């Protein structure tokens, strides 16, 4: 996914509510006992757990303290609370991406943001936003590049990325920019956190002609994950288990027709050198 911008959240409130209700059950605490520790009525705790009212990040932190939740699971819960505080969220995707355990990303048109070279990103943004000032475009590019720290972060996500071969041939910027981007792909594909594969032009039985998507799974094994579908003005999130599994199955089928990582590296290297 390229997404850095506005998102329309999926039903975060009910999703977080389910987790908090499960945590309270595991703790053995009653609604009244949690309310007293939280400094509110038991009815408010009940409304939070049934999704009838939202929850602030501060209250989520206090509840997680009560339930003694730490580490990646806590980070994921707080991400849900933070994104759920607003109806329309700017940059939600990057919060989900940072909290994820694994990211399955299919891109049919451009290099995904997490793998973009700075000059490629700039050229892409200038084409997409011709009226933006150079300063604004540079600011957006810098923000996108900052996501790439996840590629070398201890405990960061594992990225499994599938690109249509079209992505490697579609000009973005001039020839120098494209070759720099192709070399960047080769460099990043060497990282332990990155598995890069290309679906060749002659692949038969392509099951994902509708566009790019990302499936993110999180450290909480009880969470089925989410699907992010990027549109021009927003990113749509799906969280129904059946929807998540459907896109996981599409990704598995795409994997079956893609070149393996070694063959992918050879193709990218050939294009990068012009041979």
């Amino acid at each position: 996914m390229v997404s850095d911008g506005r998102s329309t959240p999926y039903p975060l409130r009910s999703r977080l509510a389910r987790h908090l209700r499960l945590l309270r059950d595991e703790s053995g605490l009653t609604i009244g006992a949690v309310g007293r520790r939280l400094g509110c009525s038991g009815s408010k705790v009940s409304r939070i757990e049934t999704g009838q009212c939202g929850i602030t990040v501060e209250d989520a932190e206090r509840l997680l303290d009560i339930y003694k939740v730490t580490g990646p699971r806590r980070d994921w819960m707080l991400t849900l609370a933070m994104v759920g505080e607003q109806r329309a969220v700017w940059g939600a995707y990057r919060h989900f991406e940072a909290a994820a355990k694994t990211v399955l990303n299919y891109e049919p048109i451009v290099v995904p943001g997490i793998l973009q070279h700075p000059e490629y990103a700039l050229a892409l943004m200038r084409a997409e936003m011709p009226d933006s000032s150079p300063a604004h475009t540079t600011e957006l590019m810098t923000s996108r590049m900052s996501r790439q720290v996840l590629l070398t972060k201890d405990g960061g996500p594992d990225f499994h990325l599938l690109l249509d071969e079209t992505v490697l041939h579609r000009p973005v910027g001039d020839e120098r920019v494209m070759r720099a981007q192709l070399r960047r792909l080769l460099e990043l594909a060497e990282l332990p956190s990155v598995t890069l594969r290309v679906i060749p032009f002659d692949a038969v039985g392509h099951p994902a002609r509708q566009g790019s998507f990302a499936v993110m799974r999180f450290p909480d094994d009880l969470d089925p994950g989410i699907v992010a579908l990027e549109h021009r003005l927003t990113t749509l999130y799906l969280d129904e288990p059946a929807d998540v599994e459907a896109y996981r199955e599409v990704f598995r089928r795409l994997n079956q027709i893609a070149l393996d990582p070694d063959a992918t590296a050879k193709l990218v290297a050939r294009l990068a050198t012009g041979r």
Side-chain angles (χ1 to χ4, degrees), residues 27-41:
S27 74
L29 294 171
T30 65
I31 285 178
V34 172
R36 287 190 292 274
R37 295 192 187 190
L38 193 60
C40 68
S41 65

Side-chain angles (χ1 to χ4, degrees), residues 44-169:
K44 177 180 178 179
V45 176
S46 178
R47 290 196 301 274
I48 290 172
E49 290 186 352
T50 56
Q52 295 178 37
C53 71
I55 182 172
T56 65
V57 173
E58 180 182 2
D59 281 347
E61 288 179 326
R62 294 169 65 192
L63 280 173
L64 295 175
D65 287 340
I66 292 169
Y67 301 140
K68 298 180 172 56
V69 178
T70 60
R73 190 180 191 188
R74 180 187 181 93
D75 294 340
W76 166 228
M77 300 279 192
L78 291 177
T79 297
L80 285 175
M82 176 178 58
V83 176
E85 274 192 317
Q86 302 178 40
R87 183 171 180 82
V89 183
W90 193 267
Y93 183 88
R94 63 185 299 150
H95 292 298
F96 295 140
E97 183 181 59
K101 182 178 179 181
T102 60
V103 178
L104 312 179
N105 187 187
Y106 165 66
E107 290 290 344
I109 299 175
V110 298
V111 173
I114 197 72
L115 299 183
Q116 287 179 6
H117 186 279
E119 292 187 75
Y120 181 97
L122 270 178
L124 194 62
M125 289 173 178
R126 287 168 181 157
E128 293 175 342
M129 302 176 293
D131 297 329
S132 291
S133 68
H136 180 59
T137 305
T138 300
E139 181 182 3
L140 290 176
M141 181 274 290
T142 302
S143 175
R144 182 173 296 178
M145 293 303 101
S146 69
R147 289 167 49 198
Q148 297 184 3
V149 300
L150 294 175
L151 298 174
T152 53
K153 178 183 176 183
D154 289 341
D158 288 326
F159 290 88
H160 299 265
L161 303 117
L162 291 174
L163 310 183
D164 266 326
E165 186 176 348
T166 304
V167 173
L168 307 181
H169 294 272

Side-chain angles (χ1 to χ4, degrees), residues 260-275:
D260 63 35
D262 288 340
T264 291
K266 291 177 181 177
L267 172 61
V268 175
R270 178 171 58 81
L271 294 173
T273 58
R275 296 176 183 173

Side-chain angles (χ1 to χ4, degrees), residues 8 96 144 176 190 206 236-237 243 269:
T8 302
F96 295 140
R144 182 173 296 178
R176 180 185 60 82
E190 294 293 324
H206 197 302
L236 174 68
Y237 294 99
D243 293 334

